[in-house]
């Protein structure tokens, strides 16, 4: 095992061990599990990250960031409908958090629905006017929505 792999194993063990010590064994907030999921997602280990995001949500069903990051990981695994459901749940829990709106807008844009993505990207800019990623995506969505298309293309 390389030193880098060994460090990764140690990080996972630490996160798993500390997850089950107080206050986590009695519910807690699941923060360590969430951080482990983020670590795995960042390494491209999406299926494993999804499992830990789900565990985070078992501990804390109102964890907006976990719903949002789970949606991104699930979408990257090709499960659009499930991703959209988690983004909607994140928006329900915290309608003032721009991350879920941004990710919903990006998914809709990537899936060929620029007209639908516009309202989500506009909401991001209402909540965070300086969000450059949303501004660029909104410009792209508006251009794509204005383009004529054949019914066969959609």
């Amino acid at each position: 095992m390389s030193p880098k792999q060994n460090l990764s194993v140690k990080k996972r063990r630490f996160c798993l061990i500390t997850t089950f010590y107080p206050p986590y064994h009695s519910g807690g907030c699941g923060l360590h599990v969430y951080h482990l999921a983020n670590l795995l997602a960042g390494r491209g280990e999406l299926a494993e990250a999804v499992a830990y995001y789900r565990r985070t949500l078992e501990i804390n069903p109102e964890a907006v960031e976990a719903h949002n990051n789970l949606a991104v990981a699930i979408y990257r695994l090709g499960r659009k409908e499930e991703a959209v459901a988690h983004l909607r749940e994140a928006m329900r829990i915290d309608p003032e958090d721009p991350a879920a709106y941004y990710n919903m807008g990006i998914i809709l844009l990537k899936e060929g629905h620029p007209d639908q993505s516009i309202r989500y990207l506009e909401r991001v800019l209402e909540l965070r006017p300086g969000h450059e990623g949303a501004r660029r995506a909104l410009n792209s969505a508006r251009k794509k929505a204005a383009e004529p298309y054949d019914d066969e293309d959609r």
Side-chain angles (χ1 to χ4, degrees), residues 41-58:
R43 294 173 46 104
E45 299 175 40
L46 298 177
E48 213 171 332
V50 164
Y52 286 102
Y53 285 130
R54 289 189 193 288
R55 177 68 183 127
T56 301
L57 292 171
E58 287 173 11

Side-chain angles (χ1 to χ4, degrees), residues 96-132:
E96 301 299 313
D97 183 10
Y101 294 96
Y102 177 75
N103 287 323
M104 182 74 84
I106 295 299
I107 286 174
L108 290 168
L109 186 57
K110 285 183 176 182
E111 292 296 317
H113 305 287
D115 48 334
Q116 294 175 25
S117 73
I118 290 171
R119 75 180 178 118
Y120 291 100
L121 296 168
E122 286 176 341
R123 179 69 175 141
V124 174
L125 292 172
E126 287 173 15
L127 296 169
R128 190 172 296 153
H131 195 297
E132 285 305 313

Side-chain angles (χ1 to χ4, degrees), residues 68-154:
N68 190 50
N69 290 354
L70 174 59
V72 171
I74 287 173
Y75 179 75
R76 290 176 59 197
L77 289 171
R79 301 191 324 245
K80 178 190 163 217
E81 293 79 17
E82 192 177 350
V84 166
H86 280 284
L87 291 173
R88 289 191 194 288
E89 182 64 8
M91 288 182 261
R92 183 198 65 76
I93 295 167
D94 186 357
E96 301 299 313
D97 183 10
Y101 294 96
Y102 177 75
N103 287 323
M104 182 74 84
I106 295 299
I107 286 174
L108 290 168
L109 186 57
K110 285 183 176 182
E111 292 296 317
H113 305 287
D115 48 334
Q116 294 175 25
S117 73
I118 290 171
R119 75 180 178 118
Y120 291 100
L121 296 168
E122 286 176 341
R123 179 69 175 141
V124 174
L125 292 172
E126 287 173 15
L127 296 169
R128 190 172 296 153
H131 195 297
E132 285 305 313
R135 189 170 311 288
R136 284 190 302 274
L138 180 58
N139 289 336
S140 177
R142 286 179 174 153
K143 285 177 188 172
K144 288 182 180 187
E147 292 175 0
Y149 62 91
D150 291 330
D151 286 338
E152 295 175 10
D153 291 342
R154 299 255 169 146

